[in-house]
Amino acid sequence: MATKIQDRVKETIPQNFENQTASENNSGITPWKEFFTDPNLVNLIDEALKNNQELMITLQQIEIAKSDVMYKNGKLSPTVAAKLGAGIEKVGRYTSTGAGDASTEITDGKEVPENLGNFEGGLVANWEVDIWHKLRTEKQAAVAHYLSTVEGKNFVLSSLIAEVADNYYELLSLDNQLDIIHQYMDLQKKALEVAKIQKQAMAATELAVKKFEAELAKSNATEYDLKQQITEKENQINALLGRYPQTIVRTKESFMSIVPQTVYTGIPSQLLANRPDIKQAELELQSAKLDVEAARKEFYPSLEINAALGLEAFNPSYLVKMPESIAYSLVGELAGPLINKSAIQAQFKSADARQIQALYEYDKTILSAYLDITNQMSAIKNLDKYYEMKSQEVQALDQGIDIANQLFRNMRADYLEVLMNQRDALDAKMELIEAKERQLSTVVNIYKSLGGGWK
């Protein structure tokens, strides 16, 4: 007996997301070309949708599932084949067949030859009558699996768009970090020049000069590290686009002024219709249930009808003699398992276990989607505040750098104060850029989590 399953996760899904006002406005239904407005990013996504290898693999999975549906549908109809055959046979004289042939004349005065040929041609048919709808159930299971592969393709589309956008924003972030390093190096070079002048004037020591030289060397090392990260990030995007390494066209100057999209989450129940991975899991659950039903029907008897119609003779010249050479047969068989049903029982238990497994996968997908959106909506609020505070910190530290440099020139501050102010400002600016990238990436991830991108 099949396990009765109950989907408690789907039945108890909350009415709205945590700390969110219930609203049917949902950014997940916005087409991706309207959601992403950067023309360079739009072009990259367009190319990825045409050339991405993972997407191409998924499309072939759809073709495989479609062929399986055609195969299951074909089993519902009779199988008809054309048949041609030729052979020769000699039976023992002292057998019932041999003795009968020896005393039989094919025509007057012509005995049956000792080496008896057999030539035949015609049509043969076989049909398993679907009296319990087992074959129809198998076809329905195949259709559900096919539809799940279509939703799987949609999920790959959604994930691919989000991945391209996420990597694009990370690349812009690295570009801006490299610019900040260059600005920082210019400051350090100026501070180093001042330190050398002060040393000559006996107002500073060799230690101050070496400290500024070391800091400049450290920034040079960071510069090369960022350049390597930029190269790898560009190639990561190129891989998603299915092409060999080349420069990613982008405009880095406006990165810090990008305002993240306002995202509307809608209500949780919309996830069941919007998210391809949830729909895929639901269809796989439906397919698994049908597999259980089909496996249960294996215990029932099956009805097979076999038929043949054609011409048969021991000599090819007799094939044209009608109606003597006409041969036909019609056989119906009703057979069912009586003993040793262990193989069928094992198949049934396996299908039942896969059904329960599919339910857990479905529930896990729904729960993960809800928690993911809740976490990311909270992240957006906190990142907005974080970005605001970091902006104030950067502004204050920039002012501090100017003051420290002025005091250092006038020999009213030592080199450590200048270094510490420059380092703090650099760290704060790097963190501000990373905060901007996290803001944009979080919006991208929420858009994907809401089921956006594949429509």
Side-chain angles (χ1 to χ4, degrees), residues 379-412:
I380 279 188
K381 291 179 180 178
N382 291 323
L383 280 171
D384 286 345
K385 295 295 183 183
Y386 177 83
Y387 186 82
E388 183 182 345
M389 295 299 104
K390 277 294 172 185
S391 296
Q392 294 178 15
E393 180 185 358
V394 166
Q395 186 177 0
L397 288 170
D398 276 342
Q399 294 171 354
I401 287 177
D402 292 337
I403 295 170
N405 286 338
Q406 187 64 38
L407 291 173
F408 182 63
R409 290 190 191 96
N410 296 329
M411 294 180 291
R412 295 174 61 190

Side-chain angles (χ1 to χ4, degrees), residues 162-446:
E163 193 172 358
V164 172
D166 200 25
N167 280 283
Y168 178 76
Y169 290 135
E170 286 182 24
L171 181 59
L172 293 182
S173 171
L174 291 170
D175 286 338
N176 280 262
Q177 290 180 50
L178 185 61
D179 287 345
I180 293 297
I181 282 292
H182 288 157
Q183 294 171 21
Y184 183 52
M185 289 168 63
D186 289 339
L187 283 174
Q188 290 171 326
K189 289 174 183 176
K190 291 176 183 178
L192 178 60
E193 291 172 2
V194 173
K196 288 179 178 179
I197 292 171
Q198 288 186 347
K199 180 196 170 188
Q200 291 173 353
M202 306 299 290
T205 64
E206 179 69 14
L207 180 60
V209 174
K210 293 302 179 185
K211 283 288 186 181
F212 281 117
E213 286 179 349
E215 193 70 12
L216 184 58
K218 180 181 177 183
S219 297
N220 272 316
T222 303
E223 176 190 16
Y224 288 114
D225 180 57
L226 285 171
K227 286 181 177 178
Q228 178 61 25
Q229 290 184 53
I230 288 172
T231 298
E232 291 178 3
K233 187 58 64 177
E234 282 190 311
N235 287 337
Q236 195 171 346
I237 295 174
N238 282 319
L240 291 172
L241 272 57
R243 67 188 190 186
Y244 287 105
Q246 56 185 276
T247 301
I248 302 298
V249 178
R250 58 199 186 268
T251 306
K252 63 182 180 180
E253 291 76 17
S254 60
F255 176 70
M256 295 304 292
S257 61
I258 298 175
V259 178
Q261 290 256 26
T262 301
V263 179
Y264 302 98
T265 60
I267 55 178
S269 59
Q270 290 176 323
L271 292 175
L272 304 178
N274 289 347
R275 274 190 59 139
D277 58 332
I278 292 179
K279 291 195 285 184
Q280 180 184 19
E282 183 180 18
L283 287 163
E284 285 295 348
L285 175 58
Q286 180 182 337
S287 178
K289 288 178 180 178
L290 291 167
D291 283 338
V292 171
E293 186 179 343
R296 179 170 55 83
K297 291 174 180 177
E298 289 288 347
F299 291 100
Y300 302 163
S302 60
L303 173 61
E304 282 197 15
I305 297 176
N306 295 285
L309 175 64
L311 303 174
E312 187 175 15
F314 72 90
N315 189 307
S317 62
Y318 292 152
L319 288 174
V320 295
K321 291 191 174 183
M322 302 289 183
E324 291 85 351
S325 62
I326 295 176
Y328 59 83
S329 66
L330 179 64
V331 179
E333 286 185 346
L334 184 65
L338 294 178
I339 58 174
N340 194 16
K341 300 180 182 179
S342 59
I344 300 175
Q345 289 171 342
Q347 184 180 6
F348 175 77
K349 289 180 179 179
S350 176
D352 192 39
R354 286 195 297 270
Q355 172 190 220
I356 298 171
Q357 184 183 48
L359 173 65
Y360 292 148
E361 288 287 347
Y362 180 50
D363 288 346
K364 183 181 76 171
T365 307
I366 295 175
L367 187 59
S368 297
Y370 178 87
L371 294 174
D372 190 32
I373 292 172
T374 301
N375 289 338
Q376 292 186 51
M377 288 304 295
S378 174
I380 279 188
K381 291 179 180 178
N382 291 323
L383 280 171
D384 286 345
K385 295 295 183 183
Y386 177 83
Y387 186 82
E388 183 182 345
M389 295 299 104
K390 277 294 172 185
S391 296
Q392 294 178 15
E393 180 185 358
V394 166
Q395 186 177 0
L397 288 170
D398 276 342
Q399 294 171 354
I401 287 177
D402 292 337
I403 295 170
N405 286 338
Q406 187 64 38
L407 291 173
F408 182 63
R409 290 190 191 96
N410 296 329
M411 294 180 291
R412 295 174 61 190
D414 62 23
Y415 66 91
L416 285 176
E417 291 179 85
V418 176
L419 275 176
M420 293 307 296
N421 273 280
Q422 288 179 348
R423 284 181 183 177
D424 290 345
L426 173 66
D427 290 342
K429 287 179 179 178
M430 290 295 201
E431 289 170 358
L432 184 65
I433 293 171
E434 289 173 356
K436 173 61 71 174
E437 187 270 321
R438 285 170 61 194
Q439 278 184 317
L440 297 170
S441 292
T442 301
V443 169
V444 170
N445 290 332
I446 291 179

Side-chain angles (χ1 to χ4, degrees), residues 37-57:
T37 55
D38 185 330
N40 293 322
L41 176 56
V42 169
N43 290 336
L44 291 173
I45 293 174
D46 255 333
E47 188 167 351
L49 295 180
K50 294 174 185 174
N51 301 325
N52 181 261
Q53 280 87 3
E54 185 178 353
L55 182 57
M56 299 300 108
I57 292 170

Side-chain angles (χ1 to χ4, degrees), residues 98-113 116 314 318:
D101 289 347
S103 59
T104 303
E105 292 184 344
I106 295 173
T107 58
D108 291 339
K110 188 170 185 178
E111 297 179 349
V112 175
L116 188 64
F314 72 90
Y318 292 152

